[in-house]
Amino acid sequence: MHCGFAMISVGCVRQRFAKHIAILVLMDACASALGWYFTGYAFAFGDNLNADGATAGNAFIGTNYFAMANLATGANNVNSYYLWLFEWAFAATACTIVSGAIAERTKFEAYILFSFFMAAWVYPIVVHAAWSGAGWESKFRTSPVWDGYFLFGSGVIDFAGSGVVHMVGGYAAAAGCFVLGPRIGRFLPDGTVADFSGHNTSLFVLGVMILWFGWYGFNPGSELYIVNGTTAVANAAVTTTIAPATAGLFALLAKTVSHRFIERKSTRFVYDVGVMGNGALCGLAAITAGCSTVNPWAAIVIGIVSGFGYVISSKIMVLLHMDDPLDAISVHAFGGTWGVAAVGFFAEANLMAVAYPANSPMDQGVFMGGTGRLLAAQLVHIIWIAGWVLCNMLPFFYLLKVLGLFRVNPEDETLGLDESYHGGSAYPGLSEDSSFHPEKGGASGPLHTHKTDNGFQHPPHKNEIDDLRAELMALKQAFHANVNATK
């Protein structure tokens, strides 16, 4: 998954920030692993066993296995090294979602602190609530909580983490983006929105396809085994194919129609590969909660809403001056929120019976004949995650800002963080003109770049710049020669 995130991130930023975003993604893998090691796993899954051998413990937080102490010999066979490793991959994913939203202007040191804090504290508490056998909203509960065993007599279905992973990452990204503010020159006082498009379409598309492939481990893999779980695994794989495929197509449709007939930016149809790719990712984030419990036809509906919703959400972010270079907020916060809610509409009892323990209630989605108890639990899950993440991350990012640790200085940002902090350009021999040519309601990219209809820019080779300089010199000499001839 991190390989896909790295390719998307590098492709979506401007050329002079390629090294910077790459090291942020790599830092997620490193810092999150240590955060997960010291406290993250313990807070998430560190439960005790009661006299009957069932998982028991604090409904809010785990209390065992700090720094993996006694994990290998734990009485509960679920608590073992394989689960630690598998769940760490999810923690790292939640962290790396944020890197794209705050790209091109964040201090490296601040991101180290964020990634550790996220994996060690913010993310694990949500995991414990939804996936632990003792969590207060978990469908895996084996001991009573305030209202019997299960929230609203149902418990939450968030099979692979539309809420636990993507909402957590998406809302943390929104908090960071809000506190950090937009990139220099992105939103001008006269209402101009400058186009700071990514520099490499190929890397972006490669990243989308790698992530899509990785999602087959993310979603079907969340069954944790295949023996006696074949139906759930197979259904998850099918819906993980259909939802993003539908979402990508409908995002492309929405953007193409809007560009031609609503925004009237072109007299022809323009097919935006960036929108199609992000639309597919939004569909993947949305299907993650219900991949094992919704039918393939429902995955199409979820994908349609994801595609259209992504385009609308992305536009709203720009109107709110939320400068998100990767559209991570629209993909993960919106996609995750919709995915959690969609389970409350489309979950099917027979599929739930295969994917979840026999003792858990099988109240279906309301469109499938359910009573609404599952939908109520899903809505509480949404409110809880949004509230928990924002209440932790907004003060955290504000503290970094007050201490002067969050944002780089304007000179370094303008020069490019690759030059300022990472030893030089990621592309020796290539040059990027940092100026831009603004227009009302949008802007073309930097001058002297080859800009495609999909919004990505391809910087010129050094030889092209030398040729351009030679032409300008020849024109200058010709001008002076004409002036002298007229004297």
Side-chain angles (χ1 to χ4, degrees), residues 275-342:
V275 169
M276 188 177 190
N278 275 337
L281 293 178
C282 189
L284 285 164
I287 198 60
T288 298
C291 59
S292 65
T293 59
V294 303
N295 288 295
W297 66 263
I300 293 177
V301 178
I302 292 170
I304 291 172
V305 176
S306 299
F308 282 127
Y310 160 71
V311 173
I312 296 170
S313 175
S314 179
K315 184 66 174 179
I316 291 173
M317 289 298 104
V318 173
L319 293 176
L320 294 176
H321 285 195
M322 294 282 281
D323 185 15
D324 179 356
L326 267 68
D327 260 352
I329 301 169
S330 297
V331 168
H332 299 281
F334 167 74
T337 302
W338 159 237
V340 171

Coordinates of all heavy atoms in Angstrom, one line a residue, residues 275-342:
V275 N -9.0 13.0 -12.0 CA -10.3 12.8 -11.4 C -10.7 11.3 -11.4 O -11.3 10.8 -10.4 CB -11.3 13.7 -12.1 CG1 -12.8 13.3 -11.6 CG2 -11.1 15.2 -11.7
M276 N -10.5 10.7 -12.5 CA -10.9 9.3 -12.6 C -10.1 8.4 -11.6 O -10.7 7.5 -10.9 CB -10.6 8.7 -14.0 CG -11.2 7.3 -14.2 SD -10.9 6.8 -16.0 CE -11.9 5.3 -16.0
G277 N -8.8 8.7 -11.4 CA -8.0 7.9 -10.5 C -8.5 8.1 -9.0 O -8.7 7.2 -8.3
N278 N -8.7 9.4 -8.7 CA -9.1 9.7 -7.3 C -10.6 9.2 -7.1 O -10.9 8.8 -6.0 CB -9.0 11.2 -7.0 CG -7.7 11.6 -6.6 OD1 -6.9 10.8 -6.1 ND2 -7.3 12.9 -6.8
G279 N -11.4 9.3 -8.1 CA -12.7 8.7 -8.0 C -12.7 7.2 -7.6 O -13.5 6.7 -6.8
A280 N -11.8 6.5 -8.3 CA -11.7 5.1 -8.0 C -11.2 4.8 -6.6 O -11.7 3.9 -5.9 CB -10.7 4.4 -9.0
L281 N -10.3 5.7 -6.1 CA -9.8 5.5 -4.8 C -10.9 5.9 -3.8 O -11.0 5.2 -2.7 CB -8.6 6.5 -4.5 CG -7.3 6.1 -5.3 CD1 -6.2 7.2 -5.0 CD2 -6.8 4.7 -4.9
C282 N -11.7 6.8 -4.1 CA -12.8 7.1 -3.2 C -13.8 6.0 -3.1 O -14.3 5.6 -2.0 CB -13.6 8.4 -3.7 SG -14.8 9.0 -2.6
G283 N -14.0 5.3 -4.2 CA -14.8 4.1 -4.2 C -14.2 3.0 -3.4 O -14.9 2.2 -2.7
L284 N -12.9 2.8 -3.4 CA -12.2 1.9 -2.6 C -12.4 2.2 -1.1 O -12.6 1.3 -0.3 CB -10.7 1.8 -3.0 CG -10.4 1.1 -4.3 CD1 -9.0 1.4 -4.8 CD2 -10.6 -0.4 -4.1
A285 N -12.2 3.5 -0.8 CA -12.4 3.9 0.6 C -13.8 3.6 1.1 O -14.0 3.2 2.3 CB -12.0 5.3 0.8
A286 N -14.8 3.8 0.2 CA -16.2 3.6 0.6 C -16.6 2.2 0.8 O -17.3 1.8 1.7 CB -17.1 4.3 -0.4
I287 N -16.1 1.3 -0.1 CA -16.5 -0.1 0.0 C -15.8 -0.9 1.1 O -16.2 -2.0 1.5 CB -16.2 -0.8 -1.4 CG1 -17.0 -2.1 -1.5 CG2 -14.7 -1.1 -1.5 CD1 -18.5 -1.9 -1.4
T288 N -14.8 -0.3 1.7 CA -13.9 -1.0 2.7 C -14.8 -1.4 3.9 O -14.5 -2.5 4.5 CB -12.8 -0.1 3.1 OG1 -11.9 0.1 2.0 CG2 -11.9 -0.7 4.2
A289 N -15.7 -0.6 4.4 CA -16.5 -1.0 5.5 C -17.4 -2.2 5.3 O -17.6 -3.0 6.1 CB -17.3 0.2 6.0
G290 N -18.0 -2.2 4.1 CA -19.1 -3.2 3.8 C -18.7 -4.2 2.8 O -19.6 -4.9 2.3
C291 N -17.4 -4.4 2.5 CA -17.0 -5.2 1.4 C -17.5 -6.7 1.5 O -17.8 -7.3 0.6 CB -15.5 -5.2 1.2 SG -14.5 -5.7 2.6
S292 N -17.6 -7.1 2.8 CA -17.9 -8.5 3.0 C -19.4 -8.7 3.3 O -19.9 -9.9 3.3 CB -17.1 -9.1 4.2 OG -17.5 -8.4 5.4
T293 N -20.2 -7.6 3.4 CA -21.6 -7.7 3.9 C -22.6 -7.1 2.9 O -23.8 -7.1 3.2 CB -21.7 -7.1 5.3 OG1 -21.3 -5.7 5.2 CG2 -20.9 -7.8 6.3
V294 N -22.1 -6.5 1.8 CA -23.0 -6.0 0.8 C -22.9 -6.8 -0.5 O -21.9 -7.3 -0.8 CB -22.8 -4.5 0.5 CG1 -22.9 -3.7 1.8 CG2 -21.5 -4.3 -0.2
N295 N -24.0 -6.9 -1.2 CA -24.0 -7.6 -2.5 C -23.3 -6.8 -3.6 O -23.2 -5.6 -3.5 CB -25.5 -7.9 -2.9 CG -26.1 -9.0 -2.0 OD1 -25.7 -10.1 -2.0 ND2 -27.1 -8.6 -1.2
P296 N -22.9 -7.5 -4.7 CA -22.3 -6.8 -5.8 C -23.1 -5.6 -6.4 O -22.5 -4.6 -6.7 CB -22.0 -7.9 -6.8 CG -21.8 -9.1 -5.9 CD -22.8 -8.9 -4.8
W297 N -24.4 -5.8 -6.5 CA -25.2 -4.7 -7.0 C -25.2 -3.5 -6.1 O -25.2 -2.3 -6.6 CB -26.7 -5.2 -7.2 CG -27.5 -5.5 -6.0 CD1 -27.6 -6.7 -5.4 CD2 -28.1 -4.6 -5.1 NE1 -28.4 -6.6 -4.3 CE2 -28.7 -5.3 -4.0 CE3 -28.3 -3.2 -5.1 CZ2 -29.4 -4.7 -3.0 CZ3 -29.0 -2.6 -4.1 CH2 -29.6 -3.4 -3.0
A298 N -25.1 -3.7 -4.8 CA -25.0 -2.6 -3.8 C -23.7 -1.9 -4.0 O -23.6 -0.7 -3.8 CB -25.2 -3.1 -2.4
A299 N -22.6 -2.7 -4.3 CA -21.3 -2.1 -4.5 C -21.3 -1.1 -5.7 O -20.6 0.0 -5.7 CB -20.3 -3.1 -4.8
I300 N -22.2 -1.3 -6.7 CA -22.4 -0.4 -7.8 C -23.0 0.9 -7.3 O -22.5 2.0 -7.7 CB -23.2 -1.0 -8.9 CG1 -22.5 -2.2 -9.6 CG2 -23.6 0.0 -10.0 CD1 -23.3 -2.9 -10.6
V301 N -24.0 0.8 -6.5 CA -24.6 2.0 -5.9 C -23.7 2.8 -5.1 O -23.6 4.0 -5.2 CB -25.9 1.6 -5.1 CG1 -26.5 2.9 -4.5 CG2 -26.9 0.9 -6.0
I302 N -22.9 2.1 -4.3 CA -21.9 2.7 -3.4 C -20.9 3.4 -4.3 O -20.4 4.6 -4.0 CB -21.2 1.7 -2.5 CG1 -22.2 1.2 -1.4 CG2 -20.0 2.3 -1.8 CD1 -21.8 0.1 -0.6
G303 N -20.5 2.8 -5.4 CA -19.5 3.4 -6.3 C -20.0 4.6 -7.0 O -19.3 5.6 -7.2
I304 N -21.3 4.6 -7.4 CA -21.9 5.8 -8.1 C -21.9 7.0 -7.2 O -21.5 8.1 -7.6 CB -23.4 5.5 -8.5 CG1 -23.3 4.4 -9.7 CG2 -24.1 6.7 -9.0 CD1 -24.7 3.9 -10.1
V305 N -22.4 6.8 -5.9 CA -22.4 7.9 -5.0 C -20.9 8.4 -4.7 O -20.7 9.6 -4.6 CB -23.1 7.5 -3.7 CG1 -23.0 8.6 -2.6 CG2 -24.5 7.1 -4.0
S306 N -20.0 7.4 -4.6 CA -18.6 7.8 -4.3 C -18.0 8.7 -5.5 O -17.4 9.7 -5.2 CB -17.8 6.5 -4.2 OG -18.2 5.8 -3.1
G307 N -18.3 8.3 -6.7 CA -17.8 9.0 -7.9 C -18.3 10.4 -7.9 O -17.6 11.4 -8.0
F308 N -19.6 10.6 -7.9 CA -20.2 11.9 -7.9 C -19.8 12.7 -6.7 O -19.5 13.9 -6.7 CB -21.8 11.8 -8.0 CG -22.3 11.5 -9.4 CD1 -23.1 10.4 -9.6 CD2 -21.9 12.3 -10.5 CE1 -23.6 10.2 -10.9 CE2 -22.3 12.0 -11.7 CZ -23.2 10.9 -11.9
G309 N -19.9 12.0 -5.5 CA -19.6 12.7 -4.3 C -18.2 13.2 -4.2 O -17.9 14.3 -3.6
Y310 N -17.2 12.5 -4.7 CA -15.8 12.9 -4.7 C -15.7 14.2 -5.5 O -15.0 15.2 -5.0 CB -14.9 11.9 -5.4 CG -13.6 12.5 -5.8 CD1 -12.7 12.9 -4.9 CD2 -13.4 12.7 -7.2 CE1 -11.5 13.5 -5.3 CE2 -12.2 13.3 -7.6 CZ -11.3 13.7 -6.6 OH -10.1 14.4 -7.0
V311 N -16.3 14.3 -6.7 CA -16.2 15.5 -7.5 C -16.8 16.7 -6.8 O -16.2 17.8 -6.7 CB -16.8 15.3 -8.9 CG1 -16.9 16.6 -9.7 CG2 -16.1 14.2 -9.7
I312 N -17.9 16.5 -6.1 CA -18.6 17.6 -5.4 C -17.7 18.0 -4.2 O -17.5 19.2 -3.9 CB -20.0 17.2 -5.0 CG1 -20.9 17.0 -6.2 CG2 -20.6 18.3 -4.1 CD1 -22.2 16.4 -5.9
S313 N -17.2 17.0 -3.5 CA -16.4 17.3 -2.3 C -15.2 18.0 -2.6 O -14.8 19.0 -1.9 CB -16.1 16.0 -1.6 OG -15.2 16.2 -0.5
S314 N -14.5 17.6 -3.7 CA -13.3 18.3 -4.1 C -13.5 19.8 -4.4 O -12.7 20.7 -4.1 CB -12.7 17.6 -5.4 OG -11.6 18.2 -5.8
K315 N -14.7 20.1 -5.1 CA -15.0 21.4 -5.4 C -15.3 22.2 -4.1 O -14.9 23.4 -4.0 CB -16.3 21.5 -6.3 CG -16.7 22.8 -6.8 CD -15.7 23.5 -7.7 CE -16.1 24.8 -8.2 NZ -15.1 25.4 -9.1
I316 N -16.0 21.6 -3.2 CA -16.3 22.3 -1.9 C -15.0 22.6 -1.2 O -14.8 23.7 -0.6 CB -17.2 21.4 -1.0 CG1 -18.6 21.3 -1.6 CG2 -17.3 22.0 0.4 CD1 -19.5 20.4 -0.9
M317 N -14.0 21.7 -1.2 CA -12.7 22.0 -0.5 C -12.0 23.3 -1.1 O -11.5 24.1 -0.4 CB -11.8 20.8 -0.7 CG -12.2 19.6 0.1 SD -12.2 19.8 1.9 CE -13.9 20.0 2.2
V318 N -12.1 23.4 -2.4 CA -11.5 24.6 -3.0 C -12.3 25.9 -2.6 O -11.7 26.9 -2.3 CB -11.5 24.5 -4.6 CG1 -11.1 25.8 -5.2 CG2 -10.6 23.3 -5.0
L319 N -13.6 25.8 -2.6 CA -14.4 26.9 -2.2 C -14.1 27.4 -0.8 O -14.2 28.5 -0.4 CB -15.9 26.6 -2.4 CG -16.4 26.4 -3.8 CD1 -17.9 26.0 -3.8 CD2 -16.2 27.7 -4.6
L320 N -13.8 26.4 0.1 CA -13.5 26.7 1.5 C -12.0 27.0 1.7 O -11.6 27.3 2.8 CB -13.8 25.4 2.3 CG -15.2 25.0 2.5 CD1 -15.4 23.7 3.2 CD2 -16.1 26.1 3.1
H321 N -11.2 27.1 0.6 CA -9.8 27.4 0.6 C -9.0 26.4 1.4 O -8.1 26.7 2.1 CB -9.6 28.8 1.2 CG -9.9 29.9 0.2 ND1 -9.5 31.2 0.3 CD2 -10.6 29.9 -1.0 CE1 -9.9 31.9 -0.7 NE2 -10.6 31.1 -1.5
M322 N -9.5 25.1 1.3 CA -8.7 24.0 1.9 C -7.8 23.5 0.8 O -8.3 22.8 -0.1 CB -9.7 23.0 2.4 CG -10.5 23.4 3.6 SD -9.7 23.4 5.2 CE -9.7 21.6 5.6
D323 N -6.5 23.8 1.0 CA -5.6 23.5 -0.1 C -5.0 22.1 0.1 O -4.1 21.9 0.9 CB -4.4 24.5 -0.1 CG -3.5 24.3 -1.2 OD1 -3.8 23.6 -2.2 OD2 -2.4 24.9 -1.2
D324 N -5.6 21.1 -0.6 CA -5.2 19.7 -0.4 C -4.6 19.2 -1.7 O -5.3 18.9 -2.7 CB -6.5 18.9 -0.1 CG -6.2 17.4 0.1 OD1 -5.1 17.0 -0.1 OD2 -7.2 16.7 0.5
P325 N -3.3 19.2 -1.9 CA -2.7 18.8 -3.2 C -3.1 17.5 -3.7 O -3.1 17.3 -4.9 CB -1.2 18.8 -2.8 CG -1.0 19.8 -1.7 CD -2.3 19.5 -0.9
L326 N -3.4 16.5 -2.9 CA -3.7 15.2 -3.3 C -5.2 14.9 -3.3 O -5.7 13.8 -3.6 CB -3.0 14.1 -2.5 CG -1.7 13.6 -3.0 CD1 -0.6 14.7 -2.9 CD2 -1.2 12.4 -2.2
D327 N -6.1 15.8 -2.8 CA -7.5 15.6 -2.6 C -7.7 14.5 -1.6 O -8.7 13.7 -1.7 CB -8.2 15.3 -3.9 CG -8.9 16.5 -4.5 OD1 -9.0 17.5 -3.8 OD2 -9.4 16.4 -5.6
A328 N -6.8 14.3 -0.7 CA -6.9 13.2 0.3 C -8.2 13.4 1.2 O -8.8 12.4 1.6 CB -5.7 13.2 1.2
I329 N -8.6 14.6 1.5 CA -9.8 14.8 2.3 C -11.0 14.3 1.6 O -11.8 13.6 2.2 CB -9.9 16.3 2.7 CG1 -8.6 16.8 3.5 CG2 -11.1 16.5 3.5 CD1 -8.6 18.3 3.7
S330 N -11.1 14.7 0.3 CA -12.3 14.3 -0.4 C -12.3 12.7 -0.6 O -13.4 12.1 -0.6 CB -12.3 15.0 -1.8 OG -12.4 16.4 -1.6
V331 N -11.2 12.2 -0.9 CA -11.1 10.7 -1.1 C -11.4 9.9 0.1 O -12.2 9.0 0.2 CB -9.7 10.3 -1.7 CG1 -9.5 8.8 -1.7 CG2 -9.6 10.8 -3.1
H332 N -10.7 10.3 1.2 CA -10.7 9.4 2.4 C -11.8 9.9 3.5 O -12.5 9.0 4.0 CB -9.4 9.4 3.1 CG -8.3 8.8 2.1 ND1 -8.2 7.5 2.0 CD2 -7.4 9.4 1.3 CE1 -7.2 7.2 1.1 NE2 -6.7 8.4 0.7
A333 N -11.9 11.2 3.7 CA -12.9 11.6 4.7 C -14.3 11.4 4.1 O -15.2 10.9 4.8 CB -12.7 13.1 5.1
F334 N -14.5 11.9 2.9 CA -15.9 11.7 2.3 C -16.1 10.3 2.0 O -17.2 9.7 2.4 CB -16.0 12.6 1.0 CG -17.3 12.1 0.3 CD1 -18.5 12.4 0.7 CD2 -17.1 11.3 -0.9 CE1 -19.7 12.0 0.0 CE2 -18.2 10.9 -1.6 CZ -19.5 11.2 -1.1
G335 N -15.2 9.6 1.3 CA -15.3 8.2 1.0 C -15.6 7.3 2.2 O -16.4 6.4 2.2
G336 N -14.8 7.5 3.2 CA -14.9 6.7 4.4 C -16.2 7.0 5.1 O -16.9 6.0 5.6
T337 N -16.7 8.2 5.2 CA -17.9 8.5 5.9 C -19.1 7.9 5.1 O -20.0 7.3 5.7 CB -18.1 10.1 6.0 OG1 -17.0 10.6 6.7 CG2 -19.4 10.4 6.6
W338 N -19.1 8.1 3.8 CA -20.2 7.5 3.0 C -20.2 5.9 3.1 O -21.2 5.3 3.2 CB -20.1 7.9 1.6 CG -20.8 7.0 0.6 CD1 -20.2 6.4 -0.5 CD2 -22.1 6.7 0.6 NE1 -21.1 5.7 -1.2 CE2 -22.3 5.8 -0.6 CE3 -23.2 6.9 1.4 CZ2 -23.6 5.2 -0.9 CZ3 -24.5 6.4 1.1 CH2 -24.6 5.6 0.0
G339 N -19.0 5.4 3.1 CA -18.9 3.9 3.2 C -19.4 3.4 4.5 O -20.1 2.3 4.5
V340 N -19.2 4.0 5.6 CA -19.7 3.6 6.9 C -21.2 3.7 6.9 O -22.0 2.8 7.3 CB -19.1 4.4 8.1 CG1 -19.8 4.1 9.4 CG2 -17.6 4.1 8.2
A341 N -21.8 4.8 6.4 CA -23.2 5.0 6.4 C -23.9 4.0 5.4 O -24.9 3.4 5.7 CB -23.5 6.4 5.9
A342 N -23.2 3.7 4.3 CA -23.8 2.8 3.3 C -24.1 1.4 3.9 O -25.0 0.7 3.4 CB -22.9 2.7 2.1

